[in-house]
Amino acid sequence: MRGISGLTGLLDSARVKIPSLAVFAVVLLAFPSIADEYWTDVGVKVLLYVVLGLGINVVVGYAGLLDLGYSAFFAVGGYTTAILVGNYGVNWWLTLPIAMLVAAIGGYLIGYPTLRLRSDYLAIVTLGFGEIVRVTANNLEFTGGPDGVILPFRPVLFGYELAGTQSMYYLVLVIALVVGLGATSLTRSKIGRSWESVREDERVAEAVGVPSIRVKALAYVVGGVIAGVAGAFFATYIGIVSPTSFTFLTSVLILLVVLIGGRGSLVGVFLGALVVQGTPEVLRSIGDEWRIFLFAVVLIVLMFVRPLGLWPARTRRGARLAQSAEEPPLPEVGVAPGEPLLEVRGLTMRFGGLLALNDVDITVGRGEVLGVIGPNGAGKTTVFNCVTGVVRPTAGKVVLGGESLIGRHPHQVVQRGMARTFQGARLFSDMSVVENVLVGMTARMNSGVLTSLLRLPAQRREEQRAGRQARYWLDFVGLSDKATRFARELSYGDQRRLDIARALASNPLVLLLDEPAAGMNPSEKADLMELIGRIRDRGVTVVLIEHDMAFVMGLCERVLVIETGAKLTEGSPYEVQQDPRVIEAYLGVDEDDEGDEDADGDLGAGPDDTTAPTLTKGQ
Ligand SMILES: Nc1ncnc2c1ncn2[C@@H]1O[C@H](COP(=O)(O)OP(=O)(O)OP(=O)(O)O)[C@@H](O)[C@H]1O
């Protein structure tokens, strides 16, 4: 099976890719001339499953939303066309956009209320939705009950009725091509990256600027539209739609297209459809008793030997590193250097009975580097979470550049100029380094669905600019040479740098770093200090939580100490280190005893106390 991976890599090179695509195209075009009526009919069904596979690939493959009721959208498209043509005599071509629209609305209706659910609950809800649609169609009069709706005539194109298997084959081939191109355009744009980021880690995606709920709803809508198209063609081809065509088994078969073919891969979708629709036909000669059993065996064997699918998404993904870099200018803000840029007043956060923050005030001047220190569990990360909208504080104000951030979603906070990193880099590990950075730019990109789908010049220009800026940030943190690697392949130090580059990619006014040096060795820490210095020199205001006092001393002009949810003190690093309350807070002893208690004197007693000086050293 290693052969297939080798083949995948080989086919990625243009020298092999173009001729193989040409051969593939010729086979597809010539198929009805080579095959008889029966196999052409199988070809039509394979192509319909390619279309359905492309749709569910968006929902499950890219956005990572497990959908066990996808046949519902297929049914909605089929029934819409059948009812309009069969019951009202509407022109078939007119029914196509209506079927797409109705399926899109279905996608939105199922999607929006359920998008806050975790994937296992989501699977149950979608399964229920699939059954509701089928049972409803089975019981309503205007859907024809169990008998379904008959389409009395076929679509007519240039005076030619598309009734035969051959003409339908070519029609569905064109649709599969158009849907495939559309899906490719979307998945290679900001939208596709957003889907993938949500699949990788929804909370982090939201926190780096991706409007996660909207992005997920969009996946359902796009998936719905594609299934609607497939449904409309299916209804026309078969000439009748009835509930038996849209069972749970249909949803499972469509899902298998992606699971067998490979998640997030277009070639995989084609191969998956070929296996799912083609294998039972190939096995027909052995008789019905064994056919389905053997089909199941084939599927199990395939899943066993190729758990990621026959043709999983390419190993070196999408965006290449741009040739040149472009430095983005710092966003405009009506705050002069040194003046308060971020103001936090009376910040209070209660988690049930726990008072995690109690009336905390913080002022950060523009261009400043502020250190936030405090013992474990003091509430430092909770400050970041409240300020960035990850949690809504119980009380208090957060104002950035004169604008209140309270009640804003994390992605809206990013849009307004505040970015953050996480304790322990939380990257999109199955995306490439450059794609991680590009996701960080989502909040500053304007292209919508239609411009991305049609790849309009404005969208292409924006993508190119984003690519150049991504290169700038990768150069900035020293990761350009690793741009096309998967994020998970990076060393720990590089992952932290990438986390910072992704945050910087939103071009923030304020950057919040949560324990950036944790787990780093001394030389990595020195490099990181130099990097944060350069970030400050660019004019970005930095607030960092850190346990390592040497690190804080070397970087911060001011240090704020939090203890048990309240501000203990603030001042220069030197003042703070001398403060007996700080020493007591950390060590639980008097200042005089401090040397006996902690030989290396790292204030934080954090996970990384390897390099810090004593409390009074280093001034
Ligand atoms: N979502 C939450 N639900 C309940 N309690 C929480 C939540 N987030 C934080 N806490 C609690 O709030 C307190 C402050 O936690 P926080 O993570 O802010 O501390 P910290 O100062 O960042 O600590 P560390 O240095 O260990 O990261 C802790 O007692 C923690 O258990």
Side-chain angles (χ1 to χ4, degrees), residues 57-64 187 192 195-196 199 263-266 317:
N57 199 25
V58 165
V59 182
V60 180
Y62 280 93
T187 50
W195 282 333
E196 287 189 75
R199 181 193 71 203
R263 206 176 60 163
S265 146
L266 296 179
R317 300 291 322 282

Side-chain angles (χ1 to χ4, degrees), residues 236-396:
T236 311
Y237 181 56
I238 304 291
I240 180 169
V241 285
S242 67
T244 49
S245 300
F246 310 108
T247 58
F248 173 59
L249 183 65
T250 316
S251 292
V252 172
L253 285 179
I254 302 170
L255 189 60
L256 277 177
V257 170
V258 174
L259 297 184
I260 296 288
R263 206 176 60 163
S265 146
L266 296 179
V267 180
V269 163
F270 188 86
L271 292 178
L274 210 55
V275 170
V276 167
Q277 279 297 306
T279 317
E281 300 304 328
V282 172
L283 296 174
R284 203 172 273 283
S285 58
I286 60 162
D288 264 356
E289 325 81 272
W290 289 104
R291 189 169 69 103
I292 299 304
F293 173 75
L294 272 182
F295 177 48
V297 170
V298 168
L299 295 181
I300 291 167
V301 169
L302 281 178
M303 286 317 297
F304 191 68
V305 293
R306 298 286 299 170
L308 294 177
L310 286 171
W311 203 279
R314 278 184 294 147
T315 42
R316 294 286 174 267
R317 300 291 322 282
R320 292 192 186 90
L321 187 65
Q323 298 284 327
S324 59
E326 175 183 320
E327 178 178 1
L330 208 62
E332 299 281 324
V333 64
V335 176
E339 294 295 308
L341 177 61
L342 174 65
E343 290 179 276
V344 175
R345 294 283 167 268
L347 196 66
T348 302
M349 184 71 223
R350 252 179 213 290
F351 294 111
L354 177 83
L355 188 60
L357 290 177
N358 186 14
D359 202 20
V360 174
D361 291 344
I362 306 172
T363 303
V364 191
R366 185 172 171 197
E368 189 182 12
V369 179
L370 174 74
V372 178
I373 65 167
N376 291 123
K380 304 177 297 294
T381 301
T382 305
V383 170
F384 276 17
N385 287 343
C386 288
V387 164
T388 54
V390 171
V391 292
R392 195 186 169 118
T394 315

